[in-house]
Amino acid sequence: MQIDDTDRHLIALLAENARAPVAKLARATGLARTTVQARLERLESSGTIGGYTIRKGPGLKPVLSASVLVSVEPRSEAAVVARLKALPGIVRATTTSGRTDLLVEVTAETTEALDALLDRIGEAKGVRSSESLIHLTTKIAR
């Protein structure tokens, strides 16, 4: 499905506030409410908009987060990903190009829990090596 500049504008508005009322989106785009609703339904049914979500505020965010760069033994990626899925605290795992194979985002409530999770990732069968980057201060969050 092709999307146009108006669709992109709607998506950008929803990225800022997924709960924005159709009337507000209509005013911001200069379109009729029924047109905006029809466009949103088309974007949803085509899969361009895959869903709506929330961003957790400070009261709900885990205390600690980190990115883990993981190098995997040859032909072990599927097994490593299956092991990572089973670990609590894994937020996302993404394949990468470059010197590492996976970028794994993790969260934990305490330094002890984060340390244990990082150990479990490094000890997983098929993991050649891992490097942890603990997140300190968020400068941009969209």
Side-chain angles (χ1 to χ4, degrees):
M1 178 187 121
Q2 285 289 89
I3 63 171
D4 61 17
D5 288 340
T6 302
D7 292 332
R8 285 185 188 83
H9 189 202
L10 279 172
I11 291 167
L13 292 168
L14 289 170
E16 288 296 316
N17 179 7
R19 294 184 60 190
V22 172
K24 184 175 180 178
L25 297 172
R27 281 192 301 278
T29 57
L31 300 172
R33 285 178 25 188
T34 55
T35 303
V36 169
Q37 186 63 48
R39 281 179 175 263
L40 291 175
E41 288 171 5
R42 180 177 49 84
L43 291 167
E44 291 168 2
S45 67
S46 71
T48 302
I49 293 178
Y52 300 86
T53 188
I54 63 167
R55 285 190 304 257
K56 294 178 184 176
L60 288 176
K61 287 185 180 177
V63 177
L64 300 167
S65 61
S67 296
V68 185
L69 305 174
V70 178
S71 294
V72 177
E73 296 289 340
R75 296 176 297 282
S76 297
E77 183 179 300
V80 169
V81 170
R83 287 181 185 87
L84 294 177
K85 280 183 183 178
L87 295 177
I90 303 290
V91 176
R92 178 179 294 114
T94 309
T95 57
T96 63
S97 62
R99 63 183 181 84
T100 59
D101 302 299
L102 295 170
L103 172 65
V104 181
E105 297 175 42
V106 302
T107 61
E109 295 294 330
T110 65
T111 54
E112 293 82 7
L114 179 61
D115 189 36
L117 178 58
L118 296 175
D119 285 346
R120 291 191 69 194
I121 292 170
E123 294 165 351
K125 185 175 181 192
V127 171
R128 180 183 302 154
S129 66
S130 65
E131 177 183 351
S132 307
L133 306 167
I134 297 173
H135 301 179
L136 299 175
T137 303
T138 300
K139 301 294 184 177
I140 299 172
R142 294 188 178 140

